[in-house]
Amino acid sequence: MTFTHSTTLPVGIYHDGVLHREVTVRLATVGDEIAVIEAGIPESGTVVGILARCMTQLGTLAPEEITYQLLCDTLVQEDYAALHTAQLEAKKKAQRAEARLRAYRFALVRLGQYGISAAHARCLDAVALGGLLDAIGRLENPKGWRKSRTIKSLPRRPPSAKRT
C-alpha cells in the first residue's frame, strides 16, 4: 500500500507557460535513493532528486516530466518546505495505519480467546466491536473497569445571596 498526501504549493512551479500548484507526494523508498545515485545526480542534490521521484502528481504535468532539473530550476524555498511537510504527512498516515492494524490484530486475539472468530469479527461494525471489547475488558478486570468508569460529582457551591 502506498501512502500519499496531496497539498497546494504556496508559490507553485511554472512550466511551459502554466503555473502548477496542486501536488501529490508519496513516501520515499530505498529504490528512489538508489535510482537518484545511479542517475548521476550530485550528492548535494540527492534530496531534490528523491523528491522529484516521489511526486506522483504536479498540476497537469505527466509524472515523467517531474524531474530533478525541473525542480532545481523552478522550486522555491516555500514550496520545498510544503513538499517536505507533505511527505511527513504521508509518513504519519502510514504510522496511523500501522497502529490501527496492530490494534485490530490485538482485538482479534482477544475476541478469539472468547470463541469469536476473525470472520465473525469482520462482519461487526465499529460500535458492536467496541462493545464486545468493552465487555471483555469488564470480564477480565471487573474492579479496574468499575474504577475507571466512576463519575465523581463536583462539590456544590452554596447559593449566593440574591440582591434586591
Side-chain angles (χ1 to χ4, degrees):
M1 175 181 274
T2 302
F3 294 96
T4 63
H5 185 75
S6 298
T7 190
T8 302
L9 298 176
V11 177
I13 295 177
Y14 193 75
H15 181 67
D16 288 338
V18 179
L19 183 64
H20 303 278
R21 294 186 63 211
E22 299 302 316
V23 65
T24 302
V25 296
R26 64 171 172 78
L27 289 178
T29 64
V30 173
D32 293 323
E33 289 190 41
I34 293 169
V36 166
I37 292 168
E38 288 177 348
I41 294 174
E43 190 175 327
S44 60
T46 303
V47 175
V48 176
I50 292 170
L51 190 57
R53 288 185 52 86
C54 293
M55 293 171 67
T56 58
Q57 183 251 330
L58 175 60
T60 58
L61 290 177
E64 57 272 2
E65 291 182 89
I66 306 169
T67 63
Y68 166 76
Q69 197 59 48
L70 173 70
L71 295 185
C72 284
D73 294 343
T74 59
L75 190 64
V76 297
Q77 179 59 36
E78 292 87 354
D79 289 345
Y80 176 78
L83 289 169
H84 181 69
T85 302
Q87 278 196 313
L88 291 176
E89 288 299 319
K91 184 177 181 180
K92 287 179 187 177
K93 285 180 185 179
Q95 291 169 339
R96 285 191 299 264
E98 175 61 30
R100 284 193 307 270
L101 182 61
R102 208 174 315 118
Y104 179 72
R105 287 178 181 156
F106 180 72
L108 288 181
V109 169
R110 287 184 75 192
L111 292 171
Q113 292 172 341
Y114 291 93
I116 299 169
S117 69
H120 184 248
R122 281 189 213 102
C123 296
L124 300 173
D125 63 356
V127 174
L129 187 60
L132 276 174
L133 292 172
D134 193 39
I136 289 171
R138 284 182 277 167
L139 281 171
E140 292 174 349
N141 189 6
K143 290 182 179 179
W145 185 83
R146 284 189 197 126
K147 281 184 181 179
S148 66
R149 300 290 195 253
T150 303
I151 299 172
K152 296 181 180 179
S153 61
L154 297 173
R156 293 182 175 224
R157 289 191 286 179
S160 58
K162 293 184 180 179
R163 295 183 187 175
T164 55

